[in-house]
C-alpha cells in the first residue's frame, strides 16, 4: 500500500526500500540506545542501528521534516498477515495476546515509536497519528495495540504511574493482554494514590493513547535489556468518542 501525508512542517510516508528502513533504525538507535540506554542483541553499535527480525515483515511509517527530508519520527506497523509470516507479533514476546487474537476484531500492532528530541512537543505526533488513522482505515483495522514504555526498571519509581493505569484504564476483559513475566501494576491503593503525581509520571506517548481512549493490559513487563518497563496499550477505534475520533483522524 502507499501512504503520503504532508503539511507545512512535516510529511509522512511509508518506507519504500532498505535505505528508508535503515533511516528508521538509525533514529531508533539514537533514541532507544544513545538517549535511553537500551542494549541487547538487536543493537548494532557498528552501524548505529536498532533492529530486530520483525523489521523485515513490518511497514515503517516515517515522519520527515519537509525542508530537510530528515527522518525525525517513526512507527513500526505489523498487520495480522505480517505477524503470521513473522511467527507472531512483537508484543507476544512480552505479553499473552490470546484473548485479543481470539476476538472478532482486526488488530494491527504499533511499535518502535520515537521522535527526535527537538520535535517533541510539536505537532509531530499528531501528524503521525493522522497517518496511522489513514493506514488503519485502508487495512480495515479496528484494534490498535502495542508496547509503550516507562523509562527505567525500578518498579518503585513507577508505582504511581502503573497504579493509575491499572485502576482507571484496564482493557476490557475480553481483549486484555497479560504480561508473560508478571509485574503487578496495582501497587498503591486507590485511597493513597496521588492522582496529579501519577498523571505527571506518565510518558507523553501513554498520555496520548489515553486521550484517545486507550487502555492497558494486565501487568507490566520489565525489559532490562532496553532499560524500561513496558505496558501493553490497546485502542479499540469503535469506542472512540466523537471528540477522540476528531483528534485521532483530524486533518493536519
Amino acid at each position: 500500500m502507499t501512504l503520503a501525508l504532508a503539511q507545512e512542517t512535516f510529511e509522512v510516508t511509508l518506507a519504500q526500500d532498505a535505505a528508508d528502513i535503515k533511516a528508521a533504525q538509525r533514529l531508533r538507535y539514537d533514541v532507544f540506545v544513545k538517549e535511553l540506554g537500551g542494549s541487547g542483541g538487536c543493537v548494532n553499535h557498528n552501524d548505529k542501528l536498532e533492529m530486530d527480525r520483525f523489521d523485515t515483515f513490518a511497514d515503517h511509517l516515517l515522519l520527515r521534516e519537509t525542508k530537510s527530508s530528515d527522518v525525525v519520527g517513526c512507527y513500526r506497523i505489523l498487520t495480522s498477515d505480517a505477524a503470521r509470516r513473522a511467527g507472531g507479533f512483537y508484543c507476544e514476546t512480552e505479553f499473552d495476546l490470546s484473548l485479543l487474537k481470539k476476538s472478532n476484531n482486526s488488530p494491527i500492532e504499533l511499535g518502535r515509536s520515537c521522535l527526535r528530541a527537538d520535535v517533541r512537543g510539536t505537532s509531530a505526533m499528531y501528524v503521525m497519528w493522522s497517518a496511522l488513522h489513514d493506514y488503519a482505515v485502508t487495512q480495515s483495522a479496528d484494534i490498535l495495540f502495542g508496547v509503550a514504555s516507562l523509562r527505567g526498571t525500578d518498579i518503585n519509581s513507577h508505582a504511581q504511574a502503573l497504579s493509575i493505569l491499572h485502576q482507571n484504564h484496564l482493557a476490557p476483559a475480553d481483549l486484555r493482554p497479560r504480561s508473560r513475566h508478571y509485574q503487578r501494576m496495582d501497587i498503591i491503593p486507590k485511597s493513597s494514590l496521588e492522582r496529579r503525581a501519577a498523571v505527571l509520571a506518565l510518558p507523553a506517548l501513554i498520555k496520548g493513547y489515553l486521550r484517545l481512549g486507550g487502555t492497558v493490559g494486565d501487568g507490566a513487563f520489565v525489559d532490562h535489556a532496553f532499560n524500561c518497563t513496558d505496558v501493553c496499550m490497546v485502542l479499540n477505534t469503535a469506542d472512540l468518542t466523537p471528540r477522540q475520533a476528531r483528534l485521532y483522524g483530524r486533518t493536519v
Side-chain angles (χ1 to χ4, degrees):
M1 65 167 284
T2 59
L3 173 68
L5 175 67
Q7 50 104 261
E8 184 176 352
T9 307
F10 302 109
E11 59 183 3
V12 184
T13 60
L14 289 177
Q16 299 298 309
D17 52 31
D20 282 347
I21 295 174
K22 279 192 173 182
Q25 293 169 336
R26 192 169 297 113
L27 176 64
R28 284 158 40 181
Y29 182 93
D30 288 343
V31 174
F32 298 140
V33 180
K34 291 175 63 176
E35 182 180 344
L36 301 180
S39 62
C42 58
V43 175
N44 180 336
H45 290 292
N46 290 332
D47 296 327
K48 293 182 168 49
L49 303 175
E50 191 280 315
M51 54 199 294
D52 67 21
R53 68 180 185 84
F54 294 94
D55 286 338
T56 302
F57 302 93
D59 281 330
H60 299 264
L61 185 132
L62 306 179
L63 178 77
R64 297 181 185 271
E65 285 183 323
T66 304
K67 289 183 179 179
S68 67
S69 293
D70 291 342
V71 173
V72 296
C74 61
Y75 251 110
R76 185 173 73 185
I77 310 171
L78 207 63
T79 65
S80 295
D81 286 342
R84 279 190 284 271
R85 296 195 300 273
F89 290 106
Y90 170 82
C91 275
E92 290 182 277
T93 64
E94 300 185 1
F95 293 89
D96 182 350
L97 304 179
S98 299
L99 294 175
L100 189 151
K101 292 171 68 175
K102 287 178 182 177
S103 71
N104 293 322
N105 297 285
S106 176
I108 59 175
E109 180 184 56
L110 308 179
R112 291 301 198 269
S113 169
C114 62
L115 291 172
R116 201 173 69 187
D118 62 312
V119 302
R120 296 170 199 163
T122 70
S123 63
M125 184 56 70
Y126 292 109
V127 175
M128 286 207 293
W129 277 345
S130 292
L132 286 172
H133 168 267
D134 293 346
Y135 184 99
V137 168
T138 64
Q139 296 289 322
S140 300
D142 47 15
I143 296 289
L144 310 180
F145 73 97
V147 166
S149 302
L150 295 90
R151 184 175 182 178
T153 59
D154 179 7
I155 293 301
N156 290 330
S157 70
H158 298 316
Q160 294 276 0
L162 293 175
S163 295
I164 198 170
L165 287 174
H166 180 90
Q167 292 164 13
N168 292 354
H169 302 285
L170 204 57
D174 61 340
L175 294 176
R176 191 178 302 160
R178 180 180 170 84
S179 175
R180 294 190 181 277
H181 295 284
Y182 193 83
Q183 166 59 55
R184 62 186 288 257
M185 296 169 62
D186 55 334
I187 301 166
I188 300 175
K190 200 165 190 174
S191 59
S192 302
L193 189 67
E194 299 175 20
R195 182 176 177 83
R196 185 172 184 277
V199 171
L200 288 174
L202 292 171
L205 179 62
I206 292 180
K207 284 190 280 193
Y209 283 131
L210 297 180
R211 282 194 289 271
L212 293 175
T215 56
V216 298
D218 181 17
F221 182 95
V222 180
D223 187 342
H224 292 283
F226 258 74
N227 188 35
C228 61
T229 299
D230 294 337
V231 295
C232 190
M233 304 296 303
V234 180
L235 174 64
N236 188 342
T237 61
D239 293 337
L240 292 176
T241 66
R243 178 182 175 279
Q244 290 166 338
R246 286 194 298 272
L247 177 65
Y248 170 53
R250 71 180 186 177
T251 56
V252 291

